[in-house]
Amino acid sequence: MNDQPAACRIHVEALDAVFEPQAEQWAERLGLPLQMADGEFALQVGEQGLQLQQLGPDAPGPVRVDFVEGGAAHRRLFGGGSGQMIAKAVGIAQGVRPRVLDATAGLGKDAFVLASLGCEMSLIERQPLIGALLEDGLARGAEDFDVAPIVARMRLLKGNSIEVMRNWEGEPPQVIYLDPMFPHREKTALVKKEMRLFRPLVGDDPDAPALLEAALALASHRVVVKRPRKAPCIEGPKPSHALDGKSSRYDIYPKKALKP
């Protein structure tokens, strides 16, 4: 995934005058203009926080990170707890809540699920616009009574995922979770909207093999890679096994057993 926004015309705008100071701050931080006559995307600041809106007559609705309501809340309350496939993939078990690095955090959905199950999470999102959405969503989640204890277990790191992993300082994560960009075929409207929005900005992940190599070098216990169910494995070492779901699978690269 590219470190900088792709060659798209993007500007920042306030949805109300009261949010203009925040819009100016985001524009300065991200190096984006506040005005653009023929923009393709707008990073908007409003009552519901930060959101990314594709412009044009056929554009889908805005995308924002929301850990309090919507899909994140439903999955937190009714998602199946530690019986979920992602929980099994990272090694959650009775008495085991590994420290996990999500090196391709995106909108933070998977990281939030794991944090809600008790894992201490580190997140890296190297695309600045998506990182900004994630930062804003975490800040708003910290203000909610029920969600605050969960996002307190989520630490957002900045930088290129491969470089951050290669230069890691301190105790390494027990598990590293990767979900590289891939030509997804999921058919839900939400995924379609997000993929339609993000693909012009971030493209695919041609450096996925280097991402896997860095993860395998750093993780103390295992690396987990999420892939579309019928997609090939990432080039490089082969996983020992995989957990298959309806539309995706988790390739498992074990190094050491996780124990209580």
Side-chain angles (χ1 to χ4, degrees):
M1 195 181 295
N2 298 319
D3 292 68
Q4 299 299 325
C8 298
R9 296 185 298 276
I10 306 163
H11 68 273
V12 182
E13 65 181 21
L15 296 179
D16 189 275
V18 71
F19 299 109
E20 287 177 1
Q22 290 172 260
E24 291 173 2
Q25 290 173 2
W26 280 114
E28 184 176 351
R29 278 184 57 182
L30 296 168
L32 296 173
L34 284 166
Q35 301 289 336
M36 185 175 289
D38 57 347
E40 295 176 88
F41 294 88
L43 187 65
Q44 301 172 329
V45 187
E47 282 188 16
Q48 293 180 294
L50 201 65
Q51 62 186 34
L52 189 60
Q53 174 67 64
Q54 187 173 1
L55 305 175
D58 298 323
V63 169
R64 70 178 67 87
V65 173
D66 187 353
F67 296 124
V68 178
E69 298 179 350
H74 186 272
R75 191 169 177 187
R76 172 171 60 89
L77 297 170
F78 309 110
S82 57
Q84 296 175 77
M85 194 171 295
I86 187 174
K88 295 177 181 177
V90 302
I92 287 176
Q94 187 170 0
V96 179
R97 293 296 185 272
R99 297 184 315 278
V100 182
L101 168 63
D102 183 344
T104 52
L107 296 178
K109 294 179 181 179
D110 288 340
F112 181 75
V113 169
L114 295 174
S116 70
L117 295 174
C119 293
E120 293 292 331
M121 300 295 303
S122 298
L123 295 78
I124 310 173
E125 175 46 57
R126 57 181 170 177
Q127 211 290 336
L129 289 174
I130 302 174
L133 295 177
L134 187 52
E135 180 182 329
D136 177 72
L138 287 168
R140 284 184 287 107
E143 297 173 354
D144 181 84
F145 180 80
D146 292 321
V147 174
I150 299 172
V151 299
R153 290 192 285 270
M154 299 170 69
R155 178 176 64 127
L156 180 59
L157 307 175
K158 292 185 170 62
N160 179 293
S161 308
I162 295 172
E163 293 175 2
V164 172
M165 286 192 285
R166 286 175 177 168
N167 298 302
W168 191 271
E169 295 182 359
E171 193 173 13
Q174 293 173 293
V175 178
I176 297 180
Y177 178 79
L178 305 174
D179 182 10
M181 286 288 280
F182 189 88
H184 286 287
R185 296 179 180 175
E186 290 97 330
K187 296 179 181 179
T188 66
L190 182 61
V191 171
K192 274 189 174 181
K193 179 174 74 171
E194 291 169 358
M195 296 308 296
R196 180 176 169 184
L197 194 68
F198 290 163
R199 196 157 295 283
L201 296 173
V202 304
D204 296 325
D205 270 320
D207 59 355
L211 194 67
L212 176 60
E213 180 183 9
L216 287 169
L218 176 62
S220 63
H221 286 68
R222 75 170 63 175
V223 173
V224 178
V225 181
K226 185 179 180 180
R227 301 293 276 167
R229 189 168 62 88
K230 296 182 180 180
C233 297
I234 292 179
E235 182 180 337
K238 299 302 179 189
S240 70
H241 63 287
L243 300 178
D244 290 321
K246 291 181 180 179
S247 61
S248 59
R249 73 169 194 273
Y250 297 92
D251 291 342
I252 315 293
Y253 299 78
K255 295 179 70 176
K256 189 163 53 173
L258 288 159
K259 297 179 180 179

